[in-house]
Amino acid sequence: LIYLFNYWMTVRIRVERIEVTCSELPQNLVEKFKAAILDVLRAVREHKPDLSFRAFAIAVSLHARIEGQPARDYLARFVTNVPRGLGAPTGSGAVFYFGAEGDRLFSTITADASVVVPDGLFVRVHGVWDAGRVAPDALAGIADAFVRQALESLGLQLPA
């Protein structure tokens, strides 16, 4: 277990996988975080040269407010058939599952009400890529482009 960036990044090296969790992702440190993740992958490979990765997965979770629209109204457009007879609806959310596309094996997008940001939106973008077709050095760029594409598919975008 390794803590980096004042505990904002946690690295767990397990027998079957390497997990990197970022509890915060300050915009001014994104490039340093990407470099640290690559350094971890390189270090493991240098330590165990015969090791091969099967897949690379990334999950980015965001909590934010939507400009000009309550999160509840934004989310309602994804759920049009709310079950009845269970009480007054208090909100909705959606999860979308996608199959293989190019080098990506599968992906999911979750959109829900945030429990962290009042009247905010929670979005989680998760993608898994075939490590036999994607080099570790290319992963950061590929993942970044996918997260942006996923957000745009929901009518959202990251701040500049």
Side-chain angles (χ1 to χ4, degrees):
L1 187 61
I2 304 165
Y3 296 107
L4 301 171
F5 300 99
N6 201 27
Y7 294 92
W8 283 347
M9 180 183 284
T10 304
V11 178
R12 287 183 181 88
I13 300 174
R14 301 178 185 268
V15 172
E16 76 285 2
R17 68 179 175 260
I18 300 167
E19 298 173 359
V20 179
T21 305
C22 302
S23 60
E24 298 282 333
L25 194 57
Q27 202 167 2
N28 63 326
L29 294 177
V30 169
E31 293 305 316
K32 288 183 180 183
F33 278 35
K34 289 179 186 177
I37 293 168
L38 281 175
D39 287 346
V40 167
L41 295 176
R42 285 186 192 120
V44 169
R45 186 162 274 156
E46 285 175 17
H47 176 70
K48 189 90 167 133
D50 58 331
L51 178 77
S52 64
F53 298 112
R54 287 186 295 154
F56 297 116
I58 187 163
V60 175
S61 300
L62 306 165
H63 295 267
R65 284 195 182 89
I66 303 171
E67 290 181 10
Q69 185 177 25
R72 181 183 170 130
D73 293 349
Y74 171 82
L75 290 166
R77 71 185 188 158
F78 295 111
V79 181
T80 57
N81 188 14
V82 177
R84 296 175 187 226
L86 300 172
T90 60
S92 59
V95 181
F96 303 97
Y97 301 92
F98 303 96
E101 176 73 23
D103 297 335
R104 195 173 56 250
L105 300 172
F106 66 89
S107 59
T108 64
I109 301 174
T110 302
D112 203 351
S114 172
V115 296
V116 176
V117 175
D119 193 33
L121 177 68
F122 167 76
V123 176
R124 180 176 189 263
V125 177
H126 177 244
V128 178
W129 288 265
D130 183 341
R133 297 170 66 186
V134 173
D137 292 345
L139 183 61
I142 291 169
D144 183 61
F146 173 66
V147 168
R148 291 178 187 282
Q149 177 188 13
L151 292 174
E152 287 173 9
S153 75
L154 297 174
L156 303 170
Q157 64 183 11
L158 291 172

